[in-house]
């Protein structure tokens, strides 16, 4: 069994990276069943199980949009590198001023690359929204956050997901957990890890 755990590009509080090997040992399913994950979060468990067929769902539209844009080729390792190098330079120069500019831009335009930038430069990698559904996590106070090695790490994470999507039939849906569970057939495997 391969014990290497692939970490996804979006960080989530409570990510199950350290538990993936244990969870992998506990999963019993046939190769044709659909992996159904109603609380996708980071996707770390499903991405490491790597079932041929999967439904990844979450109520956070920004997570789903990010992965759908990798799936349709809008987001590529190249676009991620180019974006993070440019935005990282601006963050290094302007610090919190640039972070808050990107946060405002994201709250207006909902660009998934801005979401990735915020996720990797905000306080503690948190994802939190206020009552108006605006991302409101403060700056993580690391102006040198996007060093070359860190950008390469994120680019490699995006590349890994992109490679998986080329050989697997996965759907990313923004919907409630009960709607997702209702999609499962008797032979499918439902992995529930509610927040």
């Amino acid at each position: 069994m391969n014990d290497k755990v692939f970490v996804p590009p979006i960080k989530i509080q409570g990510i199950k990276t350290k538990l993936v090997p244990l969870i992998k040992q506990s999963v019993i399913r046939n190769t044709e069943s659909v992996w159904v994950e109603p609380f996708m979060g980071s996707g770390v468990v499903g991405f490491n199980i790597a079932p041929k067929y999967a439904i990844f769902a979450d109520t956070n539209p920004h997570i789903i949009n990010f992965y759908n844009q990798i799936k349709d080729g809008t987001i590529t390792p190249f676009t991620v590198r180019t974006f993070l190098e440019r935005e990282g330079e601006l963050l290094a120069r302007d610090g919190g001023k640039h972070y808050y500019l990107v946060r405002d831009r994201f709250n207006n335009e909902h660009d998934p690359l801005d979401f990735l930038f915020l996720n990797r430069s905000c306080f503690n990698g948190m994802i939190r929204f206020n009552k108006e559904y605006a991302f409101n996590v403060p700056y993580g106070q690391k102006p040198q956050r996007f060093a070359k090695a860190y950008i390469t790490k994120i680019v490699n994470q995006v590349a890994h997901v992109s490679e998986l999507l080329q050989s697997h039939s996965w759907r990313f849906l923004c919907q409630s957990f009960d709607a997702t569970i209702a999609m499962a057939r008797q032979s499918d495997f439902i992995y529930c890890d509610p927040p």
Side-chain angles (χ1 to χ4, degrees), residues 27-72:
V27 171
I28 301 169
R29 60 185 183 79
N30 69 51
T31 56
E32 295 305 309
S33 66
V34 176
W35 174 272
V36 179
E37 192 165 341
F39 303 99
M40 178 188 175
S42 71
V44 69
V45 174
F47 291 173
N48 279 277
I49 301 288
K52 182 167 177 63
Y53 306 103
I55 296 170
F56 292 99
D58 202 286
T59 56
N60 183 322
H62 309 295
I63 293 171
I64 299 304
N65 190 28
F66 179 80
Y67 286 110
N68 273 325
Q69 287 206 12
I70 293 175
K71 183 177 178 179
D72 72 18

Side-chain angles (χ1 to χ4, degrees), residues 90-159:
L90 293 169
L91 184 70
R93 187 186 74 199
D94 298 335
K97 179 180 175 187
H98 184 67
Y99 173 84
Y100 291 110
L101 182 145
V102 174
R103 192 176 80 172
D104 289 344
R105 184 174 71 200
F106 170 75
N107 284 328
N108 287 322
E109 301 171 12
H110 304 117
D111 186 296
L113 289 175
D114 284 341
F115 181 64
L116 175 65
F117 172 88
L118 293 171
N119 179 247
R120 293 308 189 105
S121 58
C122 70
F123 177 76
N124 248 5
M126 291 178 62
I127 296 177
R128 185 183 68 198
F129 296 85
N130 64 20
K131 290 179 185 177
E132 287 77 40
Y133 303 104
F135 188 87
N136 68 350
V137 182
Y139 176 45
Q141 302 299 325
K142 295 180 183 174
Q144 302 301 322
R145 178 49 134 175
F146 294 101
K148 284 185 186 279
Y150 192 64
I151 291 173
T152 297
K153 178 180 175 180
I154 297 167
V155 166
N156 289 341
Q157 292 165 345
V158 170

Side-chain angles (χ1 to χ4, degrees), residues 1 18 20 27 42 77 102 129 139 152 170 181 187 190:
M1 180 188 292
K18 293 179 181 171
V20 166
V27 171
S42 71
V102 174
F129 296 85
Y139 176 45
T152 297
W170 292 356
I181 291 171
S187 61
I190 300 173

Side-chain angles (χ1 to χ4, degrees), residues 75-85 113 116 154-155 158:
I75 293 176
T76 66
F78 176 78
T79 61
V80 168
R81 180 178 299 283
T82 302
F83 180 84
L84 292 181
E85 284 175 350
L113 289 175
L116 175 65
I154 297 167
V155 166
V158 170

